[in-house]
Each structure stands twice: as C-alpha cells, then as structure tokens.
Amino acid sequence: MITVTEPLIAGKNHREGGFRALPFIVATSAFEKVSSYGLLPNMILYLRREYRLEAATGANILFFWSAATNLTPIIGAFLADSYFGRFPVIAFGSAISLLGTFLLWLTTVIPQARPPPCVQFSDGCPSATTLQLLFLYLSFGLISVGAGGVRSSALAFGADQLRKGENIKNAQILESFFSWYYAIASFAVVIAMTCVVYIQDVMGWKAGFGVPVVLMIMSPLLFLLASPFYVKSRPKSSLFTRFAQVVVAAYKNRSLPLSSQVTNEAYHNWKDTVILAPSDKLRFLNKACIIRNPLEDLTPDGRASDPWSLCTVDQVEELKAIVKIIPIWSAGIIMAVTVSQSSFLVLQASTMDRHMTSNFEVPAGSLNVFLVISLVVWISLYDRVIIPLASKLKGQPVRLSLKQRMGIGILLSSASMVALAVVECIRRETAIREGFIDDPNAVVHMSAMWLLPYNILGGLAEAFGAIGQNEFYYTELPKCMSSIAVTLVEMGFSAANLVASFIMTSIDYFTKRGGEGSWVSSNINRGHYDYYYWLLASLSLINFLYYLVCSKAYGPCNAERDNHPDESTSEGID
C-alpha cells in the first residue's frame, strides 16, 4: 500500500533506492509466481492419483487453497502498513513460501507421506490417512501465507524505490514500472503453466515439485542480497483503523442531529483537504465528523483530541467510497467463479487427445496458458489497433467506458461456460460411444483443442472484466486508497473460490440424492459436468442482470462526471 507509509530518513543516502533495487524485487515476485502457479494446474491430478481423493473433494481443497492465497495478500498489506513495514513482510513471505514448497516436495519423496502405491483407483486401494492429509494441508497453508507476504507488498515496495516526489517525470516512471511489473508477472504465469507443468508431466512429481523449491530458494536469497540498496518504509496508521474510527465515532455521536443548514465550519477537516463537507449518501456516517465543541474536540494545531470520537470529512468519504462500490464488486464474484474451474478443465483435457504433432503432447495443465495468451493479445490489439482505428474512422476519440467493459466481461464469462458445456457434452457422448463409460482415464478420439474457445473467451472476460474492475476501483476510490483498490480484485477472487466451492459441493450433494450419480463424479464419463457448466452459465447470465441494476444505481463514474460537469454532484470523490 503506497499511500500509508513514509520513507525513512535513510532516503537521504543517495545509494538507496533507484532502478538498481528493482530487479531484485521483481525477481522475488516472479519466482514466487512461477512456483505457486506452476504447482496449481496439475494439483487435481496429484490429489486424484497419489492421494486417491474424489474429484469433488480435490476440487474443494483447491478452491479453499486458492481462496486463502487470494486473501492473504490483504492481511499481509495490513500488517506491512500498520506494524512491520514492507521489507520484513516480503522477506518473511519468501521464507515461509520456501518452507511450504519444500514440505509439498517431501510428499513426493517420502513414501509414508502419501498412501501406498495402487494399480488403479478402486475401492480396494487404501485412502490417505488423517496425518498424511494434515501434512499436505500444512504445506498448502504455508504456501498461501508466503504468497500473501510477497504479493501484498512487492509492487508497492518497488514503487517506494522510485518515489522521490510528486512530479510529472516521476509519475511517468511509476506508470512504466507498474506496466513492466504486470508484464513480467504475466510472463511468469506463462512459464509456470508451460515449463513447470511440462516437467511434471514428463519427469514426474519429484522433479516437477522440485523445480519450484529451487526457485523459492533463489527468491529470498536475491531479495536479502540487495537489502543495503532498498529504501525501507516505516509503518504508519492503517486505512482499516481509519475506517473503524469512523464507525465508532458515528456510533458515539448517534444522538447528534443532522441538518442541511450546517455550515462547512461545523465539520472537521485537515490541512489541504479537497472535500469540505460530507456528501448526502449514507448520512448517518456524517455524524463522525461533526464538531460539537471546538475547544474540547480539537487540539491547538487543529487535530482531533480523540480520533475515535471525531474524524475528518476525508475519512468519512473514504469509507463511503468503499461501501458504494461493494454492489459492483460483488457482481464480479460470479465472473471469477467461471474462471476458477481450471481443476475440472484439467480432468477433461487429460481424457482428450492433446497431441500438437505426432511427437509433442500438450500437458493437460498447460491448456490454461491459452487463457493468459488471449488476454495479453487482446490488450495489445485493443490499445494499439482497435481503439486507434475506431477513433480514426469516427473522427473523434472512441473508448468503452469502465462499466461497459465490466458488463462485457460478465457476458463473455457466461459465453465461456456455454462453450465449455457444449464441448463436455460432445466429449462425454464420444467416450460412451467408444466404450469408455467405466474408464475415466481413457483418452477419447477428440482433440483437446476444442477447449480453446473456453480459454479464449475466458481470457477476453478477464481482459474486459477483471482489468476493467482494477481500473474502476483505482479511479473511483480516493487517491489515498489506491492500495485498497489494488487488492479488491484479489479479494473478489478469494470470495469467488469460496462461492465456487459452495456451488460445487451443493451440486455434488443434491445430484447424488437424485439416484443417478453426482454431476461432478470422479468418473468424468459417468458424471454430467456439462450440466454443471450450464448451471454456471445461467448463474452468470443472471449475474449480468444484477450488474445492470448495480451499475444504474451507482450512477456516473468520475470520468463521466468530468465529461459532463452538469451531472456532477457533491458525491464525487477525488
């Protein structure tokens, strides 16, 4: 979180900070991403084949693991900003991630860490013991905690090395750094989904899980090696604390009357504030910034005597801004649910012909790389070709609004589920026709390239929806809340993993009771994953209607108000 920390006086030392510190920070983040993203795609196969877990159980474990991994960066950011600072949190995260990755690798090396070998999956094969599962869960938990430490602070810590004042040149440098950071992060994900997954498929689990261990050994070593070069920041008051102060102060002052005749002088403001009076939305929170007695409520320098009884107008509006975007944020959860079905996608791909040539077979866990590729390709075409061409043809600047892009992303996510449902229906019918109804590991005569429409549409959905959300939160929230804006999408993915787990568990439970077997059966040929995907497509379409209602209730965005000044109101927050 960039806005709630301040550089140490050590910044006076010209040897600290600057571009030479950035490679070590970016490398630390990239190694962590390659390691964690390289473990996830094939993990459903590892749980099925080595721990002999049911498909629904394995998918649930991965849903919870992903939810934890997406949630811990928010906790890490809070701890970094409020208590420890970014440098210790990143160093701790790298070390803990290394420990978790090492323990996961040990499950492939130590025979007693997993069930004994079995010829094939059947009722006669012994299941994993409680102790074996606890050891596995411990490794997952440590990897999630470590990822939270690195991902919560690496981007902001890199920006700290370049922050030398507020001027145009520095703003351009920061913008360039953000772009390159995300570009390298995307490249790291591609490497994880191709090289690491390929090693797992070709060389086995020991080598495939050993590579992330080597990468995570390099991560903390590189980061700590450059410690003397870093500009380090002291933790300052957290925005979460500021939000809590508003709620407590509003409750304490609940008996104060609210009147439209109250002047701006009756509200508590700090130096150089932009908003002099609170907006009319969520008016009960305005009581938190009403000055009852200036002599008692304020110190000689104009600060609040008790910040838990009197807050600034800025604090109140910051909390209102968060509350206002929650409905639109919630609309992004179902879209993220459709993107988080990678575990089932791997099960499908493992039963399909994945040969690109007679000698090369694409690993089942690598097919998701096409989602990332389609996302990157579309962004390039959209910014460099489509928008300039459309603007030239129309004779004026043309660009989709943020809310339009988010809506298109939700529609595309629904379309991606439709594509996946159609392909699964054809794949299942082919498996039954070829006599593989009782052999879930058999490869049917159907190319796995039929799964590309889902990946392409999913990539486009993220390009429109997820990136649109990021920009929406960043531009709609006050500048002092930019750090929270960066983490909101990850928080949405964390919630989506929990929702996906609930949906899948409910489907498994109720379809089993129907007597025809679970839709998400471990035997993918006897299950009805196509029905499951049709359900997700329907929920996504309903979610689009919900989004339209939320979008209309939200009103114009800041950019739209700037273009139409007559529509601007006191509710605008900058």
Side-chain angles (χ1 to χ4, degrees):
M1 295 187 180
I2 297 173
T3 57
V4 290
T5 54
E6 55 188 9
L8 284 169
I9 298 177
K12 294 178 180 178
N13 189 339
H14 69 279
R15 293 180 301 174
E16 295 179 346
F19 287 101
R20 65 175 176 174
L22 296 183
F24 299 93
I25 300 171
V26 174
T28 300
S29 178
F31 284 141
E32 185 277 325
K33 283 188 178 295
V34 173
S35 174
S36 58
Y37 279 93
L39 291 171
L40 187 59
N42 271 342
M43 190 55 65
I44 186 65
L45 299 180
Y46 186 66
L47 297 179
R48 289 277 294 118
R49 296 170 182 175
E50 301 299 327
Y51 283 82
R52 290 188 279 282
L53 298 177
E54 297 291 332
T57 303
N60 248 340
I61 292 172
L62 297 183
F63 279 141
F64 284 118
W65 185 25
S66 297
T69 305
N70 286 313
L71 181 64
T72 50
I74 301 165
I75 301 173
F78 171 75
L79 294 175
D81 289 338
S82 304
Y83 300 103
F84 304 111
R86 295 184 183 118
F87 175 80
V89 168
I90 297 174
F92 175 80
S94 297
I96 292 299
S97 188
L98 168 60
L99 177 59
T101 308
F102 178 73
L103 292 182
L104 183 60
W105 175 70
L106 287 182
T107 64
T108 69
V109 176
I110 303 175
Q112 292 78 13
R114 62 188 188 280
C118 190
V119 176
Q120 66 180 46
F121 189 89
S122 68
D123 294 336
C125 296
S127 302
T129 65
T130 301
L131 191 60
Q132 289 170 338
L133 289 176
L134 286 177
F135 189 81
L136 178 71
Y137 298 157
L138 174 62
S139 66
F140 286 168
L142 291 174
I143 291 173
S144 294
V145 171
V150 176
R151 298 180 192 180
S152 66
S153 302
L155 180 59
F157 190 60
D160 286 344
Q161 312 309 310
L162 302 175
R163 188 173 287 275
K164 299 179 180 179
E166 299 297 333
N167 55 64
I168 295 177
K169 183 177 180 181
N170 189 56
Q172 292 172 341
I173 293 174
L174 283 175
E175 182 180 356
S176 178
F177 167 67
F178 273 68
S179 299
W180 278 107
Y181 182 91
Y182 281 110
I184 294 173
S186 298
F187 181 72
V189 173
V190 171
I191 294 297
M193 291 184 174
T194 52
C195 298
V196 177
V197 171
Y198 184 78
I199 292 173
Q200 292 168 4
D201 271 27
V202 175
M203 303 179 66
W205 301 116
K206 290 181 182 179
F209 286 5
V211 170
V213 174
V214 175
L215 294 176
M216 286 313 303
I217 290 175
M218 297 171 62
S219 179
L221 286 179
L222 282 174
F223 183 71
L224 295 175
L225 183 65
S227 177
F229 302 150
Y230 298 142
V231 171
K232 299 166 188 175
S233 301
R234 292 193 183 98
K236 202 179 178 183
S237 62
S238 168
L239 282 172
F240 295 100
T241 302
R242 289 160 63 86
F243 292 160
Q245 288 172 342
V246 173
V247 175
V248 172
Y251 178 78
K252 285 183 177 180
N253 301 334
R254 63 188 181 279
S255 59
L256 293 179
L258 284 174
S259 172
S260 59
Q261 303 300 319
V262 178
T263 61
N264 291 344
E265 288 73 18
Y267 298 113
H268 177 41
N269 289 291
W270 190 233
K271 298 175 183 178
D272 302 324
T273 186
V274 176
I275 309 170
L276 299 178
S279 63
D280 290 333
K281 292 288 186 179
L282 303 172
R283 294 185 71 223
F284 65 93
L285 292 176
N286 294 354
K287 297 181 179 183
C289 59
I290 295 178
I291 301 174
R292 293 169 296 181
N293 186 330
L295 296 179
E296 294 181 359
D297 295 343
L298 300 176
T299 62
D301 63 351
R303 295 179 181 272
S305 301
D306 180 8
W308 293 92
S309 298
L310 178 64
C311 303
T312 64
V313 173
D314 287 337
Q315 280 180 265
V316 172
E317 292 304 305
E318 288 166 6
L319 180 56
K320 286 184 180 181
I322 281 288
V323 173
K324 188 179 177 184
I325 67 171
I326 286 177
I328 289 183
W329 172 82
S330 65
I333 292 177
I334 294 298
M335 188 195 77
V337 168
T338 63
V339 180
S340 63
Q341 302 300 317
S342 58
S343 295
F344 292 145
L345 191 71
V346 173
L347 289 179
Q348 284 178 266
S350 65
T351 67
M352 302 172 74
D353 182 7
R354 292 173 277 112
H355 283 91
M356 296 289 288
T357 67
S358 58
N359 297 321
F360 177 72
E361 185 179 40
V362 179
S366 293
L367 283 176
N368 267 345
V369 75
F370 292 105
L371 188 149
V372 180
I373 292 173
S374 66
L375 184 151
V376 174
V377 170
W378 172 255
I379 291 174
S380 302
L381 290 176
Y382 180 78
D383 281 339
R384 300 297 179 183
V385 178
I386 297 176
I387 291 301
L389 182 60
S391 300
K392 185 176 181 180
L393 292 175
K394 196 169 182 180
Q396 62 182 23
V398 175
R399 187 168 287 272
L400 293 172
S401 70
L402 290 176
K403 289 194 289 186
Q404 286 174 335
R405 286 157 58 188
M406 290 188 287
I408 292 172
I410 294 175
L411 275 180
L412 287 172
S413 68
S414 180
S416 71
M417 283 291 103
V418 171
L420 198 55
V422 170
V423 171
E424 172 55 19
C425 181
I426 298 172
R427 189 211 63 80
R428 183 176 182 273
E429 290 178 353
T430 303
I432 294 174
R433 186 172 62 251
E434 295 178 356
F436 297 139
I437 184 66
D438 292 318
D439 188 358
N441 298 317
V443 177
V444 301
H445 289 86
M446 181 178 177
S447 174
M449 295 302 108
W450 283 105
L451 295 171
L452 288 187
Y454 162 77
N455 284 286
I456 293 172
L457 290 170
L460 294 177
E462 280 206 62
F464 279 101
I467 295 178
Q469 285 184 67
N470 255 326
E471 189 174 343
F472 174 78
Y473 302 142
Y474 187 83
T475 56
E476 289 300 296
L477 295 179
K479 295 304 179 186
C480 63
M481 299 175 67
S482 298
S483 52
I484 288 184
V486 172
T487 60
L488 280 175
V489 172
E490 286 189 345
M491 188 185 294
F493 271 95
S494 178
N497 288 128
L498 298 179
V499 171
S501 174
F502 172 76
I503 293 174
M504 192 271 301
T505 302
S506 300
I507 291 298
D508 184 48
Y509 174 75
F510 287 110
T511 54
K512 275 181 179 177
R513 294 182 61 186
E516 295 184 3
S518 172
W519 287 1
V520 288
S521 169
S522 295
N523 185 336
I524 191 173
N525 297 330
R526 282 196 174 275
H528 264 295
Y529 284 78
D530 50 341
Y531 294 173
Y532 172 67
Y533 296 144
W534 280 119
L535 175 64
L536 291 181
S538 302
L539 290 176
S540 187
L541 192 58
I542 295 172
N543 182 56
F544 175 71
L545 300 178
Y546 167 71
Y547 169 78
L548 292 180
V549 175
C550 295
S551 178
K552 184 174 179 60
Y554 186 87
C557 299
N558 286 337
E560 294 170 343
R561 283 191 290 266
D562 292 340
N563 294 331
H564 303 281
D566 55 308
E567 297 179 7
S568 61
T569 66
S570 60
E571 298 170 21
I573 301 171
D574 295 314

